[in-house]
Amino acid sequence: MLPALRLLPLLLLLPTSLSDSSLHPGDPQLMAPPSPAVVIVGAGISGLAAAEKLHKHGFQNIKILEATGRTGGRIYTQKYAKGLVEIGAQWIHGPSPDNPIFQLASQFGLLSPDALLEENQKAYGNNHPSDMPVVYTSSGGNISAAALADIMGLFITWLEQARNFTNSRCGPEDSVGSFILQQIVNSSQEWDKELVDTNMALLRGLLNMECCVSGTHSMDYVALCPFGEYTMLAGIDCTFPTGFESLVNRIKAPLPSGMVVLNKAVKRIDWNGSFQGNDSHVYPVEVQCEDGDSFVADHVIVTVPLGFLKKQSADFFSPELPTSKMQAIKNLGFGTNNKILVEFEKPFWDPNTTLIQVLWEGDSPLIEPKEDLKQNWIRKLSIFVVLEPPAQLGHVLCGFIAGKEAEFMETLTYEEILSSMTDLFRRITGNPELPPPVSILRSQWYSQPYTGGSYSYVAVGSSGDDLDNLAEPLPTDKEALKPLQVLFGGEATERNFYSTTHGALISGRREAQRLIDRYPQLGVTASKAKL
Ligand code: 6YU
């Protein structure tokens, strides 16, 4: 392509700031490579962060194609009860200066003064609720705080040990679940006989909670060797008083209108081709949409969830992805963690309670859960977070449920879940007259066609290399005439921070940086134009 022809798109897309400045078309500074056409698939935080960074560095020709009618993806704040709740991401995991979500949230003034305290930033919460739960048993009893503290202490130690397996000897088939089960069996030899049933039921509940943290059906699915590669940042997890989506809104605010195209589902990405654009430039990539529209591009950044890729990757790319990438998509885990929000007229819990654990009597990590999901799905629901502040939100509990039971729950009607919740709370409080919840709201992440679950984990049979592999741009041939045609972002491409919003944000910026490095002159032109 002749340089003069390649300049055409830049001249057509000249921003006002450029045309108003002392630079004029034809100036040597503008003889830099033209702004390449970049299509970003997905307007979650990864896609938006990529766009924001590229835009800031002078890329002018960017389109973000989003399948649904909203931006934010798995960051989704909704009105509920008297305030706002999160349907997806809830906490900043590790709110401290190394976390870019924390950096942005503090910069935009979106956090409460408590979250900004230095002592909060230095403490370690390990992505888990930091308070001790109050335990309610399924027959309306309670468990002493001391008994719970003993078991919690053991469980946390075993999780810590599981993380330390990185770089030491363990087999590819070993799972976090099998390791913990072995510790349970060993430890139980020393328990008082009368405590065995309670301890086992407590441990089953803690494993259920861990399934929510890892976004998996069973900890037996989570690979042991790479478990410690996931990096915990310092800081006690905090939330956004004005909703997580307020951060998304701030990130996308500088993007020109029209850059984000909603309700524009991508059907297929044709790459390694020659596609004629309206500007007579020939592009290597064409993005085909479900509605028949198509977009030519020099580069496309794919930020769709791993759950979507698992279902669609075979037909989504033409030519097909290399075998190693297809294998990584297959090997990595992507599970479901759902929420059930329950609003009460009056709280049945004590005002100091922040967490409620349900102890299902008779359950044990040594006994396989019953397969009849209709009868038993609710036994997987073991943890409720008391949402705050009640004065602004009302009395709301947020239950977490993971795996096949969470997926089954999505198929139930509102009335069925409301009735199950009424029964559950009457059982655990031992009060058959407890008024039913005022309302419920549940997430259905598994059924969302463009998500297919909640977040990724490193499954047995996969490793951190699969996450890196997923992040590799195409074509892989380093000498390719047109490199970086298809780039991959999204939480599942961050080896140390997968499954989180900060991982997703980092991945989007990482892919933007690849393109910025490829067009160093663009940044120079943009900063000169700003002078
Ligand atoms: C966090 C938290 N958190 C709870 C629940 C969920 C998640 N996470 P997106 O999906 O956002 O965007 C992609 C877009 O692409 C999307 O809009 C699609 O519609 C679109 N798309 C798809 N196909 C398309 C097509 N064909 N064409 C066009 N567009 C298309 N993270 O930091 N704190 O508290 C939680 C939680 C219920 C579901 C979470 C949390 C995960 C984040 O939400 C998620 O990673 C990012 O938002 C993803 O952004 P993205 O841009 O990549 O994709 C020990 C240990 C083990 C490790 N795990 C630690 C625990 C960490 C997870 N914690 C979870 C806890 C909660 C409650």
Side-chain angles (χ1 to χ4, degrees), residues 95-156:
S96 51
D98 285 344
N99 185 329
I101 296 277
F102 176 74
Q103 283 169 15
L104 285 179
S106 352
Q107 186 187 315
F108 293 138
L110 298 174
L111 298 178
S112 70
D114 278 2
L116 295 168
L117 290 175
E118 210 162 299
E119 63 197 72
N120 206 69
Q121 295 173 40
K122 288 195 171 138
Y124 269 88
N126 291 345
N127 288 188
H128 286 69
S130 48
D131 295 333
M132 285 290 273
V134 173
V135 179
Y136 288 75
T137 75
S138 51
S139 63
N142 7 63
I143 298 292
S144 79
L148 174 67
D150 286 350
I151 289 299
M152 288 275 276
L154 286 172
F155 191 74
I156 289 166

Side-chain angles (χ1 to χ4, degrees), residues 392-409:
Q392 276 143 44
L393 181 61
H395 305 291
V396 179
L397 299 180
C398 176
F400 287 87
I401 181 165
K404 290 174 188 157
E405 293 81 355
E407 290 159 13
F408 177 78
M409 180 277 291

Side-chain angles (χ1 to χ4, degrees), residues 173-205:
E173 295 306 314
D174 291 338
S175 70
V176 175
S178 61
F179 170 75
I180 290 182
L181 192 64
Q182 193 53 57
Q183 309 313 305
I184 293 174
V185 170
N186 295 346
S187 171
S188 63
Q189 317 292 324
E190 290 156 24
W191 298 344
D192 289 345
K193 274 214 162 48
E194 63 274 19
L195 287 180
V196 170
D197 287 352
T198 303
N199 286 354
M200 288 297 183
L202 278 172
L203 284 163
R204 177 79 263 162

